[in-house]
């Protein structure tokens, strides 16, 4: 280890150091003569792509007060644009999972990134609500490839013990985007206007696509992803594993999309905040979400030190996250901006901890040949749930209507998601027949 530089977040255990360490010496060459890419480079690129993807989605929500004035949008118009965008992304996720499994991660993710970046730039050229709907649908068609491609890349590159932690780290990318994009918009909007702001953010995606095609290497970890004797067969039928994952996503993802698309508008309505003054409050809320994502990815491994087995530890973390969302309805009644942001931040942190463990569940238990498809099915279900939520919000957010039912559902959504996952994939059956009672699977050998 004397000639290795270890990233700070890898100090959980010695095995984790080897998976994330970056050699200071020149990289070894592979059998085909090419240089081996260090494992840390791939998650870095995926993290950057995640930031770009969520910035592209969030930019419209942040600019909504200005677009309301320019285009005369109603709550129903905005709900229609956002819900149809979610439906398109959902369908794209379902198809993209199959494409990723067949054509590979690098090509599909690179083409998708170029497509959704150009679609983001085209927002600046439209002049009508219908035009916005068209470009949002186009954006969704390309952006759907991101999730199945990213999860498949992690599955093919990192050993199973590390996958949950890597997912937790990458799952923080949307939070960093949600935290940084309002600050960026607050800086760019006064100087460039809404069109220039959108073009600038879209152009950053094209630069990221260049980096991806130039440097990304998938499946290049120096340790084996599967141990000798690991047949990669789940102990439960695959359909039950995917169903439990998809149901959890369908029930809980609407909460994330509700806050992502409507939190700026809620701050504008309840606390009279303008786009130029939303930066710090939103940065705090989504900063808390990023912390929740990272802690959620690591928490099961920390619980294992108390002799708790891996899958039960994951379920404990998810149950705790579900309980943390219960105070969300207080947001509708509190007059305090600080308390409202604290509630939103806690909810977003709990969501990301829950989601990181859901993705960790599917990468560890679904067959590797079906990783893209399984992830796509679950993400499709989550986005369809989000689309339904955004569509209904067109009614609940209308004048003389109450959003209390929305807040109440969000408060119990994660408890329902946890129960659904446990029903279809109970820990007792997952644990059946495993060679290693701590990890619930064979231990990869260095």
């Amino acid at each position: 280890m004397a000639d290795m530089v270890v990233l700070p977040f890898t100090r959980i255990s010695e095995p984790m150091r080897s998976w994330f360490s970056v050699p200071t010496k020149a990289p070894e060459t592979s059998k085909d003569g090419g240089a081996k890419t260090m494992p840390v480079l791939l998650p870095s690129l995926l993290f950057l792509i995640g930031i770009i993807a969520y910035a592209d989605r969030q930019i419209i929500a942040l600019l909504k007060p200005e677009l309301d004035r320019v285009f005369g949008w109603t709550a129903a118009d905005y709900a229609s644009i956002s819900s149809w965008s979610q439906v398109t992304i959902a369908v794209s996720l379902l198809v993209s999972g199959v494409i990723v499994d067949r054509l590979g991660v690098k090509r599909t993710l690179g083409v998708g990134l170029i497509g959704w970046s150009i679609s983001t730039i085209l927002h600046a050229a439209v002049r009508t609500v219908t035009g916005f709907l068209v470009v949002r649908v186009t954006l969704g068609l390309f952006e759907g490839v991101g999730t199945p491609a990213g999860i498949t890349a992690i599955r093919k590159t990192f050993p199973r013990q590390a996958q949950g932690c890597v997912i937790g780290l990458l799952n923080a990318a949307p939070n960093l985007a949600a935290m940084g994009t309002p600050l960026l918009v607050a800086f760019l909007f006064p100087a460039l206007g809404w069109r220039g702001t959108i073009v600038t953010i879209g152009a950053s995606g094209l630069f990221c696509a260049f980096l991806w095609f130039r440097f990304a290497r998938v499946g290049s970890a120096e340790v084996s992803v599967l141990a000798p004797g690991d047949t990669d067969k789940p102990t439960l039928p695959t359909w039950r594993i995917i169903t439990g994952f998809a149901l959890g996503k369908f029930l809980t993802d609407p909460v994330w999309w509700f806050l992502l698309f409507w939190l700026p508008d809620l701050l504008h309505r309840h606390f009279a905040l303008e786009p130029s003054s939303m930066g710090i409050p939103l940065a705090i809320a989504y900063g808390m979400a990023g912390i929740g994502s990272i802690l959620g990815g690591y928490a099961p491994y920390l619980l294992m030190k108390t002799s708790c087995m891996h899958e039960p530890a994951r379920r404990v973390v998810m149950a705790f996250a579900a309980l943390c969302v219960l105070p969300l309805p207080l947001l509708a009644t509190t007059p305090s901006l600080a308390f409202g942001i604290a509630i939103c931040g806690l909810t977003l942190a709990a969501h990301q901890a829950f989601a990181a463990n859901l993705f960790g569940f599917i990468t560890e238990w679904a067959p590797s040949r079906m990783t893209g498809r399984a992830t796509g099915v679950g993400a499709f279900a989550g986005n369809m749930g989000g689309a339904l939520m955004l569509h209904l919000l067109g009614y609940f957010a209308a004048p003389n209507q109450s959003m209390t039912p929305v807040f109440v559902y969000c408060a119990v959504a994660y408890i329902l998601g946890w129960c659904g996952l446990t029903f279809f994939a109970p820990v007792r059956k997952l644990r059946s027949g495993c060679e290693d009672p701590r990890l619930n699977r064979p231990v990869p050998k260095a």
Side-chain angles (χ1 to χ4, degrees), residues 27-28 34-42 215-218 220-222:
E28 300 176 10
K36 288 184 178 180
T37 303
M38 279 67 72
V40 74
L41 181 56
L42 181 68
F215 298 108
R217 300 291 184 274
V218 178
S220 57
E222 295 183 7

Side-chain angles (χ1 to χ4, degrees), residues 65-387:
E66 175 66 17
L67 297 176
D68 285 344
R69 287 189 282 268
V70 173
F71 294 99
W73 285 356
T74 64
D77 290 332
Y78 182 67
S80 177
I81 291 173
S82 56
S83 62
W84 276 109
S85 174
Q86 288 302 108
V87 170
T88 306
I89 293 173
V91 174
S92 177
L93 283 162
L94 197 60
V95 176
S96 297
V98 179
I99 296 175
V100 168
D101 284 339
R102 293 187 177 181
L103 300 183
V105 171
K106 185 169 184 178
R107 184 186 310 170
T108 51
L109 182 53
V111 172
L113 177 55
I114 292 174
W116 85 62
S117 298
I118 293 176
S119 299
T120 300
I121 294 174
L122 290 177
H123 282 70
V126 299
R127 297 291 188 275
T128 64
V129 174
T130 302
F132 264 91
L133 178 60
V134 171
V135 293
R136 293 305 282 181
V137 167
T138 305
L139 175 73
L141 287 174
F142 286 103
E143 202 169 57
V145 73
T147 299
I151 297 298
T152 302
I154 293 171
R155 178 68 182 269
K156 291 180 177 296
T157 305
F158 290 91
R160 284 188 170 183
Q161 300 104 309
Q163 288 167 8
C165 294
V166 178
I167 290 171
L169 291 168
L170 296 185
N171 210 39
N175 311 126
L176 184 60
M179 184 172 60
T181 305
L183 299 175
L184 183 62
V185 169
F187 174 75
L188 294 177
F189 177 69
L192 303 178
W194 70 268
R195 297 184 192 277
T197 301
I198 288 177
V199 170
T200 301
I201 292 177
S204 65
L206 296 177
F207 175 71
C208 188
F210 165 76
L211 297 178
W212 173 257
F213 278 116
R214 177 65 180 83
F215 298 108
R217 300 291 184 274
V218 178
S220 57
E222 295 183 7
V223 293
S224 59
V225 175
L226 295 178
D230 187 346
T231 60
D232 194 32
K233 293 181 180 178
T235 56
L236 281 175
T238 303
W239 73 267
R240 291 188 62 172
I241 291 174
I242 296 177
T243 301
F245 170 65
L247 183 60
K249 295 289 289 179
F250 177 80
L251 292 171
T252 60
D253 274 16
V255 182
W256 171 263
W257 294 117
F258 164 53
L259 291 177
L260 182 69
F261 279 95
W262 284 87
L263 183 54
D265 189 66
L266 290 173
L267 295 179
H268 178 66
R269 292 187 184 197
H270 291 290
F271 304 107
L273 296 184
E274 295 296 326
S276 59
S277 58
M278 289 183 186
I280 293 178
L282 290 177
I284 293 172
Y286 286 106
M288 293 174 64
I291 294 172
S293 178
I294 296 172
L295 292 180
Y298 280 123
Y301 296 92
L302 297 177
L303 287 179
M304 285 172 58
K305 294 184 177 181
T306 65
S307 299
C308 183
M309 290 181 290
H310 180 64
E311 192 60 35
R314 191 202 314 275
R315 302 304 173 92
V316 169
V317 173
M318 295 175 73
F320 179 76
L323 296 177
C324 289
V325 185
L326 291 176
L328 182 62
L330 296 176
L331 179 63
T333 59
T334 180
S336 170
L337 174 61
F339 185 63
I341 291 299
I343 292 175
C344 291
L346 180 63
T347 299
L348 292 169
H351 171 85
Q352 291 297 74
F354 195 94
N357 282 283
L358 262 184
F359 279 117
F361 166 80
I362 199 64
T363 58
E364 293 180 10
W365 292 110
S368 60
R369 68 184 185 281
M370 297 180 62
T371 302
R373 279 167 283 183
T375 304
V377 169
F380 166 81
N383 276 264
M384 289 303 294

